[in-house]
Amino acid sequence: MRILSVRERPEMCDAAIAYFQEKWASEESRMVYEDCIRMSLKSESPLPEWYLMLDGERIIGCAGLISNDFISRMDLTPWLCALYIEEDCRGHAYGSLLLERAASDAAAKGYDKIYLCTDHVGYYEKYGFEKIGTGYHPWGETSSIFCRKTGVLSPRVCLYAGSFDPPTVGHLDLIGRASRMFEKVIVAVMQNPGKKGLFTREERVELLEKCVKQYGNVSVLCDGGLTVDVARRVGAGVLLRGVRGEGDVGVENQLAAVNRMISGIETLVMFTDPKYSFISSSIVREALKYSAPIEGMVPDAILAEVYARKDS
């Protein structure tokens, strides 16, 4: 799963205009979206930002971060608007990823709070928003106004980052156990420049999504850079790490200490189920290299795809 800023990816401008118009515009308001999105590419102002969420090459969601959402509280800024997730992609907390991207960008632009106006009850509250009042629209309607701090990191959200090349039954074991402990689990496929990948990052996201379909509170994305920066972007207050044995403990202890020092984010270290303690992505790749069987090492849902990569 990828989230793109149209300002950072101007080649997506026309696609963004068409998508926002399809999901949000009436015949009378189509030019509002076209003009605003197109002009944002030339603006020296930090706002607006328009986001697209992509699954592969398919756009599956959108959101905006704007100075005012046609509401009377002109003293408040910025506003989250036009949040949308395709119906067949709901139930995986993808909307929260757009929320956190907008909040992270707002924080980077110097805003300590983010606002939205809505009549929905019970959704945004799960992600740190609180109702602060009522606003009035030019067309005579009212909406509830919600607010949250942009730097909120939830202890109920954990980030599990790794290369997952390929995903193993050990990875899936940790994800499943974490899904029972946390309100939301975000799996981030990271780029390791020191490793030659068996699968591309986008392919690994697709493989993981097939593996975690059974969990309604797990979402998968690809990202890069420092893990703690990814955690900030998605609002995760806990980092999840897995250890297979004593040899991993020292390394993970050091990594957890560094991450806590530079970000204040805590790490939860979980021991792999003993029956998976010998399994790693590198072991799977080595087995494939010499045509050894990998049944029981990778989830059944992706076994055929991993075998197919042996001869690619």
Side-chain angles (χ1 to χ4, degrees):
M1 214 59 55
R2 295 176 292 153
I3 298 176
L4 306 179
S5 162
V6 179
R7 293 179 76 155
E8 296 172 358
R9 295 285 300 275
E11 71 274 14
M12 297 296 294
C13 180
D14 289 340
I17 290 170
Y19 192 80
F20 276 91
Q21 286 177 334
E22 176 188 350
K23 303 305 177 185
W24 288 104
S26 64
E27 279 302 316
E28 294 77 15
S29 64
R30 291 178 65 84
M31 280 305 299
V32 172
Y33 289 97
E34 178 170 351
D35 194 44
C36 188
I37 295 172
R38 203 174 295 284
M39 290 301 103
S40 71
L41 303 182
K42 304 177 181 179
S43 176
E44 296 181 1
S45 169
L47 298 174
E49 287 277 7
W50 299 97
Y51 305 104
L52 294 175
M53 175 174 276
L54 279 75
D55 180 7
E57 298 303 314
R58 179 194 176 198
I59 300 174
I60 65 165
C62 64
L65 184 66
I66 60 178
S67 56
N68 185 268
D69 199 9
F70 301 101
I71 199 163
S72 55
R73 292 298 303 273
M74 300 287 180
D75 56 312
L76 306 177
T77 197
W79 295 75
L80 180 85
C81 72
L83 177 66
Y84 183 84
I85 298 293
E86 294 287 345
E87 290 188 13
D88 64 326
C89 297
R90 294 173 188 173
H92 301 284
Y94 292 154
S96 69
L97 300 182
L98 285 163
L99 288 174
E100 299 303 340
R101 171 60 188 269
S104 175
D105 283 357
K109 297 174 190 296
Y111 300 105
D112 62 350
K113 295 177 182 177
I114 186 173
Y115 303 89
L116 63 86
C117 55
T118 182
D119 293 323
H120 289 291
V121 176
Y123 177 75
Y124 294 102
E125 293 90 331
K126 293 189 296 184
Y127 303 108
F129 283 90
E130 295 181 358
K131 183 178 178 179
I132 61 170
T134 299
Y136 304 89
H137 298 288
W139 49 89
E141 296 179 357
T142 62
S143 291
S144 296
I145 297 175
F146 287 79
C147 172
R148 63 161 272 190
K149 294 180 179 179
T150 55
V152 171
L153 298 179
S154 174
R156 300 189 301 273
V157 179
C158 86
L159 175 73
Y160 183 28
S163 54
F164 306 106
D165 188 29
T168 69
V169 290
H171 294 140
L172 191 58
D173 173 60
L174 288 181
I175 292 168
R177 288 156 60 193
S179 74
R180 296 189 290 272
M181 298 172 62
F182 292 92
E183 187 175 289
K184 182 170 63 170
V185 177
I186 299 169
V187 183
V189 178
M190 307 292 280
Q191 183 67 35
N192 187 336
K195 293 183 180 179
K196 183 179 184 300
L198 182 66
F199 293 91
T200 67
R201 278 197 301 173
E202 291 73 17
E203 288 171 335
R204 281 175 265 158
V205 168
E206 293 177 3
L207 292 175
L208 279 164
E209 287 178 336
K210 291 179 180 179
C211 295
V212 303
K213 280 184 177 180
Q214 59 189 301
Y215 306 116
N217 62 337
V218 178
S219 57
V220 186
L221 56 81
C222 61
D223 213 312
L226 292 176
T227 300
V228 293
D229 288 339
V230 180
R232 290 191 186 102
R233 284 195 285 273
V234 300
V238 178
L239 302 177
L240 174 65
R241 299 291 297 177
V243 295
R244 294 187 296 270
E246 292 183 6
D248 292 340
V249 173
V251 174
E252 293 301 334
N253 180 57
Q254 183 180 40
L255 185 59
V258 170
N259 284 333
R260 185 172 61 251
M261 181 184 71
I262 65 177
S263 70
I265 300 175
E266 296 289 351
T267 299
L268 171 65
V269 175
M270 295 177 66
F271 281 85
T272 303
D273 188 305
K275 63 177 176 284
Y276 304 136
S277 61
F278 69 95
I279 299 171
S280 67
S281 294
S282 59
I283 290 292
V284 173
R285 293 196 301 271
E286 192 73 4
L288 279 176
K289 180 179 177 181
Y290 293 102
S291 301
I294 58 171
E295 283 83 356
M297 295 187 189
V298 300
D300 290 342
I302 61 171
L303 184 61
E305 290 172 85
V306 178
Y307 264 127
R309 189 51 54 100
K310 174 176 69 74
D311 299 318
S312 64

